[in-house]
Amino acid sequence: MLIKGDASEASSFRSVEIKLSPVAEMVSSLHVLASPDIHPTWKGWSTSILSSMDAASREEFDFLSNITMQWNLLMDFVCYIERHNIDSAERFIASIETIDRVDFMYGIFSGLLPRQTVKEALEGNLETLDTDSPIFRHYVSVERARWLIEHEKDVRTRISTFLKVYWEQVFSRLWQDIGVRELDCLADERRLLGQIGAESYIRNCHPQIVIEQGAIRFEKQVELSYRRTDIENVVVIISAFIAPDLMVNCVEGCLTIYKGISLPLRSSVEVSEEIALFLKAIGSPMKLRILIELQASPKTTKELAETLRVAPSSISAHLHQMREAELVYPQRVQNAVYYRFLNENYQANLAYLARIFEPEPSER
C-alpha cells in the first residue's frame, strides 16, 4: 500500500512515499530468522519458528538464506517489483516463477547491473559481468552473481515454493496479528511527514542517514552515497522487523529506505481511527461489489462504472474512501489508473474486528 507525502513538503526530493507492504514484511521476517541475534525484539519468535521447521524445511531455508545473502537480495527484488505491481502476497509469490527472467535477475541485483548486461549473461555470456564493477566489490561477489544467473530457473522455483509454504503456515497468521497495528503506525508516519517535512523525515528514518546539500549518504559498513539530482523519488517502507539494520537501495532513480518501527500495544477493546475508516470503506453493498470486482482483477474507474452500471463519479467517491482505509492501491499504466485490491489489509482488519468481539476467557 502507498501513501504519498504532500508535494510541497517533499520538494527537495520531488516526491516521498511512505509504504507498508505485507510482502516486504514477509521477506523482512525471513531476514530476521536468518540472523536472529541481530534482532533481539524477535528472538523468541525466531527461535519458535526455526524449531518448528522440519529438517527438510530448515535445510531449504538455510540454503536460500545463503544464496540470497540473508534474504537481502529478495528484499531488493520486492522493492523493484512493487514499484510497478502491488498485489496480494499469494499472487506475488505465484508471479515469481512467471516474471520475465531478465526482470527477475535485474531486481535481484537491485538494478546495479545494466539490464542489457543481465540479458547477455542469462544468454550464456557470463564474461559480460565486469569484475571491476562496484556491485561486485561492495554488494555481491561475481562468483555468486554468476551462480545465480546460471541457476536462475531453479532458484526462482525454490524461492517461490518456500515462500508459498511460509506464507500459508507462518506469516499470514502473523500478519493478521500485526497488520492493523502497522496500519496505525503508517498513519502516524504520515502525520510525522506532514509535521516535519520530507528532509527531516528521511533523516529521522535511521541515525546512519546523512543528508548533505548535494547528496544523501548512508554510513553502513560500505558507505553509500547518491546525488540528490539522481533521486526522482524516495520510498520509505516501514517495518516491524528490520531494526536496528539500515536497508537501502536505489534503482532507476527510486531510493528505497526501510524504516524500523515499534508496534503499538493494543487492548482487546481499543477501536482505532483506522478500523473506523475500514468499516466506512466497506459499509454499503456497492462498496463490497467494487471490492469483489477488484479482487478478481485490477480495474479502472471507467471499467468499474460500466460493469456495475454506476456513474463514474460515484465509483470515484467510493474508491476515495477505500484508499483512506488502505484497501485499494491506484497504479498508473500509461494513461490509465488501475485500482488493485489490497487483500492482506482487508484480512488484517477482519481479524482485528474478530478479536475486539472475542469474549474474555472467563466468559467462555
Side-chain angles (χ1 to χ4, degrees):
M1 74 201 72
L2 219 58
I3 289 182
K4 294 189 177 181
D6 189 311
S8 62
E9 297 163 353
S11 58
S12 61
F13 286 99
R14 304 187 195 178
S15 73
V16 175
E17 301 168 348
I18 305 175
K19 175 176 162 183
L20 171 61
S21 164
V23 173
E25 277 293 71
M26 174 176 61
V27 181
S28 297
S29 74
L30 289 167
H31 172 71
V32 168
L33 286 176
S35 49
D37 291 338
I38 302 175
H39 304 88
T41 302
W42 292 96
K43 192 167 184 178
W45 174 81
S46 299
T47 300
S48 173
I49 297 302
L50 292 172
S51 63
S52 70
M53 291 184 184
D54 58 38
S57 297
R58 181 58 187 269
E59 183 178 354
E60 187 70 353
F61 170 75
D62 290 341
F63 169 78
L64 293 174
S65 297
N66 178 55
I67 67 167
T68 61
M69 298 173 60
Q70 284 70 54
W71 301 91
N72 286 318
L73 299 183
L74 201 65
M75 291 169 71
D76 288 346
F77 172 71
V78 169
C79 293
Y80 169 66
I81 293 300
E82 288 206 338
R83 288 179 58 197
H84 311 286
N85 181 13
I86 292 181
D87 215 329
S88 73
E90 291 179 348
R91 287 178 177 171
F92 172 85
I93 293 168
S95 74
I96 292 175
E97 287 201 76
T98 59
I99 191 173
D100 177 79
R101 60 202 298 251
V102 175
D103 256 0
F104 177 74
M105 294 309 306
Y106 181 76
I108 284 286
F109 293 136
S110 195
L112 296 175
L113 283 177
R115 196 181 295 274
Q116 183 61 30
T117 299
V118 173
K119 182 177 184 295
E120 292 176 5
L122 284 167
E123 290 172 349
N125 187 8
L126 294 176
E127 298 306 314
T128 61
L129 301 181
D130 181 4
T131 55
D132 292 329
S133 172
I135 181 178
F136 301 127
R137 293 200 304 268
H138 304 310
Y139 188 65
V140 58
S141 70
V142 67
E143 292 79 17
R144 187 187 299 263
R146 285 173 174 166
W147 189 94
L148 286 167
I149 286 172
E150 288 179 319
H151 298 84
E152 169 263 335
K153 182 174 177 58
D154 181 58
V155 166
R156 285 210 280 179
T157 298
R158 294 176 72 166
I159 287 174
S160 178
T161 301
F162 183 86
L163 289 181
K164 183 176 186 297
V165 174
Y166 181 71
W167 171 262
E168 291 175 350
Q169 297 185 2
V170 178
F171 200 79
S172 60
R173 294 196 300 271
L174 179 60
W175 182 253
Q176 287 184 355
D177 178 53
I178 69 174
V180 175
R181 286 191 281 162
E182 292 202 10
L183 280 169
D184 283 349
C185 291
L186 187 65
D188 291 339
E189 294 297 314
R190 176 175 57 180
R191 285 189 284 269
L192 180 61
L193 172 62
Q195 291 167 1
I196 67 177
E199 191 161 310
S200 295
Y201 179 81
I202 293 169
R203 189 182 291 111
N204 176 263
C205 287
H206 198 280
Q208 293 176 339
I209 297 176
V210 178
I211 298 181
E212 300 169 336
Q213 184 173 2
I216 178 168
R217 183 159 46 88
F218 304 93
E219 298 177 334
K220 295 163 66 80
Q221 287 182 329
V222 176
E223 186 173 293
L224 301 174
S225 180
Y226 300 102
R227 294 181 302 178
R228 293 172 73 138
T229 53
D230 292 337
I231 299 173
E232 295 183 7
N233 64 303
V234 179
V235 173
V236 177
I237 299 178
I238 63 171
S239 171
F241 292 94
I242 206 64
D245 288 348
L246 171 59
M247 306 294 293
V248 300
N249 70 9
C250 190
V251 182
E252 298 174 353
C254 178
L255 174 66
T256 300
I257 304 169
Y258 279 78
K259 179 179 183 180
I261 56 170
S262 297
L263 291 176
L265 298 175
R266 285 185 171 277
S267 68
S268 59
V269 296
E270 181 183 358
V271 179
S272 68
E273 179 183 348
E274 283 61 46
I275 203 68
L277 288 172
F278 168 71
L279 292 172
K280 184 178 180 181
I282 65 170
S284 74
M286 182 54 64
K287 290 185 175 71
L288 291 175
R289 289 176 65 192
I290 291 172
L291 291 177
I292 290 169
E293 288 295 325
L294 295 181
Q295 183 184 34
S297 65
K299 292 180 176 64
T300 65
T301 301
K302 180 181 177 182
E303 289 172 339
L304 287 168
E306 291 174 350
T307 300
L308 300 175
R309 298 182 181 180
V310 177
S313 59
S314 177
I315 296 292
S316 295
H318 290 313
L319 289 171
H320 176 73
Q321 292 181 349
M322 293 171 186
R323 271 216 76 187
E324 286 187 324
E326 295 299 320
L327 291 181
V328 299
Y329 167 67
Q331 177 191 8
R332 179 167 290 279
V333 180
Q334 296 179 344
N335 295 325
V337 176
Y338 286 83
Y339 286 85
R340 292 180 174 274
F341 175 49
L342 299 174
N343 181 58
E344 276 73 36
N345 295 356
Y346 181 83
Q347 297 298 333
N349 278 288
L350 290 182
Y352 173 59
L353 281 172
R355 285 197 297 275
I356 288 179
F357 294 103
E358 193 173 55
E360 296 294 330
S362 60
E363 298 176 8
R364 293 174 181 168

